Amino acid sequence: MSIRSDRWIRRMAREHGMIEPFEDAQVRAGTISYGVSSYGYDMRVANEFKIFTNVNNAIVDPKAFSDKSFVPFEGDVCIVPPNSFALARSVEYFRIPRNVITLCVGKSTYARCGIITNVTPFEPEWEGFVTLEISNTTPLPAKIYANEGIAQVLFFEGDPEGPEVSYADRKGKYQGQTGVTTPRL
C-alpha cells in the first residue's frame, strides 16, 4: 500500500472525477489553505452546519439520534460553542476508486487553536460529500470559516484488483450523502 502524490491526485480528479470541484494547486492568499498538496488534498468546509446544543436536554444516541441535539446554521462563519462541536459537510464531492482508501487529518491552523476535525476513512468505492465533525476543545467560542480549508485527505492505493467487497458492493448507509448527514443505524 502506498500513499499517492499530487500527480496521481490531479490525474484521478481530472480523468475520473475523484474530487469535484477540484483545485489543482494550493489556494493560500488570505485564506486557510485548500487544494492539492504534495501528498494529499486539503478539502474545504461548506457553509452548512449543525451545531450541537443541549437546550432541549436531549441525549446523543448513535442508535436513536434526535434532531433535537443540534441547531442548523448556514453562513460564512460558524461559531462553535466552548467544549462543544458541530457537524458540517465538505464543499467537494469525492468518488473513491475501488483500490483506494483515505485517511483524513485536521489542518494545523485549526489544530493549533484547539479545534479538531474528525473524519472517518473514505472506503473503496464510497462517494459523496464528506460529513465533518468539528470539535472545539477550548473553553472559548471558536470560529470556523466556510469555503476555506478544514482537513487534509491522504489517499492510499492498495492491491490493483481492490478488495473483494467495496463500500458500494455492500450498499453502505452513507453512500452518496449530499448534506450534513447525522448518524444512521
Side-chain angles (χ1 to χ4, degrees), residues 152-164:
Q152 185 177 71
V153 181
L154 306 173
F155 299 86
F156 295 90
E157 194 170 34
D159 297 331
E161 68 272 8
E164 189 173 315

Side-chain angles (χ1 to χ4, degrees), residues 16-91:
H16 302 283
M18 186 175 74
I19 305 168
E20 290 181 321
F22 177 71
E23 270 305 324
D24 106 337
Q26 281 277 299
V27 175
R28 303 176 65 127
T31 187
I32 298 172
S33 63
Y34 60 92
V36 75
S37 63
S38 302
Y39 281 95
Y41 188 84
D42 292 357
M43 72 174 137
R44 294 170 285 173
V45 61
N47 68 347
E48 291 176 45
F49 299 89
K50 292 186 179 184
I51 305 166
F52 278 76
T53 181
N54 197 24
V55 296
N56 297 313
N57 292 321
I59 294 174
V60 177
D61 182 349
K63 288 187 172 185
F65 191 80
S66 169
D67 286 351
K68 292 179 183 179
S69 300
F70 61 80
V71 174
F73 174 78
E74 283 192 27
D76 292 333
V77 175
C78 175
I79 305 297
V80 180
N83 301 307
S84 188
F85 66 102
L87 294 179
R89 75 161 177 91
S90 63
V91 167

Side-chain angles (χ1 to χ4, degrees), residues 120-136:
T120 57
F122 311 167
E123 294 194 39
E125 291 193 322
W126 173 81
E127 73 171 70
F129 290 99
V130 179
T131 295
L132 308 152
E133 180 209 311
I134 303 165
S135 297
N136 176 5

